[in-house]
Amino acid sequence: MARIVVVGSINMDLVTTVGRRPEPGETISGESFALVPGGKGSNQAIAARRGGGEVEFVGAVGDDVFAGELAGVLGAAGVGVSRLRRVEGASGVAAIVVDGGGENSIIVVGGANSRMTELSSADLGVIAGADVLLCQLEIPVPTVLAAAEHARANGVTVVLNPSPVQELSERLWAAVDIAVVNEGEAAEFGAALDVVPHVITTLGAAGAVYRGLDGRKIPRAGIEVEVIDTTGAGDTFAGVLAAHWHEGPEAAMRWACAAGALATTKLGASVAIPELAEIERVLGPA
């Protein structure tokens, strides 16, 4: 079982479903509303755990009404929360609109995630003891850099999902072993990805493709499902990929593509992440 440390964000998702997304300046009626724990870091941690990994989460919640529930969801999923800190102020939130086709629009307010500006000696110790470090960009980038460089110095595989897209230094890219990007992110980062030894590009329903530093490419077809909500599908892919990376890129993508597809069949992010048994049923014999 891979030991995975996720350094990242945790949010409360405010999810509204609509027949279609509104045009600028337009008011429309929604169909439903739900509060669903999410955040890219938390989603990926839960996905890695449900995908078969042993997971510890390094992140922050506020002192508001959402904090206890956010921490509880991680703990209930079997994710270690000894390095989940509480800070003054609001927890992170994400306002999500999901249309009738399952596509979403998201506005993220960082809250406590924005105050993850340093790593303690205990945080660094947990990272050094992992097999895989998994990071995203919903916390301050200098914190991601510190985590990645400490992991690299201790022989830990560094996986970066560089989302939401922003300019990153050559120093950070040099500390990354595996980048997980969607097609839009791949286009945005372009040549910056050339220094990363392993790049996995997700293709939505079409699956994913792996590119090695030697130019080797491995495609993986997607699994056909009835899409309800794509929120969190990419996070599910990244978490499950990290949990199975030790099996090699082809096997890891097989697991990740199945899990990502299953995550689109339910409304919400963390609540839609499939359990290991569900993924195994879809995959069948290797």
Side-chain angles (χ1 to χ4, degrees):
M1 180 183 292
R3 297 168 298 169
I4 301 161
V5 171
V6 178
V7 177
S9 60
I10 181 167
N11 300 324
M12 181 61 77
D13 292 347
L14 288 64
V15 184
T16 301
T17 59
V18 295
R20 63 174 178 82
R21 282 173 282 184
E23 299 295 331
E26 181 185 22
T27 299
I28 63 174
S29 296
E31 297 174 354
S32 67
F33 174 78
L35 293 174
V36 183
K40 294 188 71 63
S42 177
N43 293 342
Q44 292 180 15
I46 292 172
R49 179 69 184 117
R50 290 182 180 169
E54 178 184 328
V55 185
E56 190 76 26
F57 183 76
V58 180
V61 294
D63 57 6
D64 58 2
V65 67
F66 295 143
E69 184 174 356
L70 292 174
V73 166
L74 284 172
V79 175
V81 293
S82 65
R83 304 314 313 152
L84 178 65
R85 67 188 72 171
R86 294 206 179 202
V87 299
E88 290 185 0
S91 299
V93 296
I96 302 174
V97 177
V98 183
D99 67 20
E103 292 298 323
N104 60 59
S105 298
I106 305 174
I107 300 172
V108 177
V109 181
N113 300 308
S114 301
R115 296 190 289 283
M116 275 282 295
T117 55
E118 60 183 6
L119 297 171
S120 69
S121 58
D123 296 335
L124 294 173
V126 167
I127 292 169
D131 298 312
V132 177
L133 170 71
L134 176 56
C135 295
Q136 326 75 35
L137 300 178
E138 286 184 341
I139 62 172
V141 172
T143 306
V144 175
L145 174 61
E149 290 190 330
H150 187 70
R152 171 61 67 87
N154 285 275
V156 178
T157 299
V158 178
V159 182
L160 177 65
N161 172 216
S163 178
V165 171
Q166 51 196 285
E167 187 173 349
L168 299 178
S169 67
E170 293 181 4
R171 185 173 160 187
L172 178 53
W173 286 121
V176 174
D177 296 295
I178 306 158
V180 181
V181 294
N182 61 29
E183 291 177 281
E185 291 157 357
E188 285 282 344
F189 289 118
L193 293 169
D194 291 346
V195 302
V196 180
H198 310 279
V199 176
I200 294 91
T201 304
T202 59
L203 308 173
V209 62
Y210 163 88
R211 187 275 295 156
L213 202 58
D214 58 0
R216 179 172 61 126
K217 291 190 176 181
I218 303 173
R220 180 70 198 183
I223 293 175
E224 188 173 341
V225 295
E226 183 178 351
V227 176
I228 302 299
D229 178 11
T230 58
T231 306
D235 294 333
T236 299
F237 182 99
V240 174
L241 183 94
H244 290 272
W245 185 254
H246 62 284
E247 300 173 24
E250 189 166 7
M253 282 201 302
R254 177 174 178 266
W255 282 96
C257 282
L262 287 171
T264 69
T265 63
K266 299 176 184 177
L267 182 66
S270 61
V271 295
I273 298 169
E275 300 284 352
L276 183 62
E278 295 178 80
I279 305 171
E280 289 175 332
R281 279 197 300 271
V282 167
L283 288 176

